[in-house]
Amino acid sequence: MSDESAGREAEPAGREAGPAGREAGPAEPELVRINPAELSPPTGFTHAVTATGGRLVFLAGQTALDGDGKVIEGDLVTQFEQALTNLLAALRAAGGRPDQLARVTVYATDVAEYRAHAPELGRVWRRLAGSDYPAMAVIGAARLWDEQARVELDGIAVLP
């Protein structure tokens, strides 16, 4: 995953056309993505995000569950795609968009595998969520609630 805003002090979300090419209106909250030059360039995340003028939405952890509540078969990338799809479905149900994510935490049962597949995971992220990266962390977990799950995502979004 890569982030072209590396080295920029602050980049307000909504000041430029977003992923869908729309301009932010005055009621839109402002998310400013901050990547200080003195920190290593971020890849697939933003170092800090400030948010003003909105309401918080806390998104519960989502794994690769299908509509019947069963973990889908597949490798880490397949499960990541389903977990992200589920997280974004919860966000949409709350009235939000992917560019309004301020924070996402990824829990992986194998961090080395997650790192090895980072380019593929980045492509999945960009296809489903766009190129606005939230502040993120990847945390190794011995196991998740569903034993077959390899990855879980939760998040915080800022909506108007």
Side-chain angles (χ1 to χ4, degrees):
M1 295 184 218
S2 66
D3 184 355
E4 295 178 8
S5 63
R8 294 186 194 160
E9 291 272 335
E11 179 181 314
R15 292 259 194 257
E16 300 176 37
R22 59 184 180 276
E23 292 290 326
E28 205 50 37
E30 182 177 62
L31 274 75
V32 178
R33 301 172 199 290
I34 303 166
N35 290 303
E38 66 266 27
L39 295 179
S40 65
T43 54
F45 69 95
T46 296
H47 282 290
V49 177
T50 63
T52 56
R55 64 186 171 98
L56 295 177
V57 176
F58 297 90
L59 299 161
Q62 300 293 325
T63 61
L65 294 177
D66 63 16
D68 293 326
K70 293 185 173 52
V71 175
I72 65 166
E73 296 289 326
D75 63 8
L76 174 74
V77 175
T78 302
Q79 286 202 6
F80 178 86
E81 182 170 352
Q82 184 63 50
L84 180 57
T85 297
N86 293 346
L87 186 79
L88 296 175
L91 177 59
R92 277 191 305 279
R97 304 183 312 265
D99 65 312
Q100 294 169 324
L101 284 166
R103 172 82 179 154
V104 169
T105 303
V106 178
Y107 303 91
T109 58
D110 186 338
V111 174
E113 180 184 25
Y114 188 94
R115 286 180 62 100
H117 290 285
E120 296 163 86
L121 298 170
R123 285 190 290 275
V124 169
W125 179 276
R126 287 185 297 279
R127 182 168 43 82
L128 297 178
S131 60
D132 291 318
Y133 291 106
M136 293 181 75
V138 176
I139 298 172
R143 71 159 282 210
L144 301 170
W145 182 263
D146 296 302
E147 284 188 65
Q148 304 84 1
R150 302 169 91 155
V151 65
E152 182 170 339
L153 288 80
D154 69 19
I156 301 171
V158 182
L159 281 56

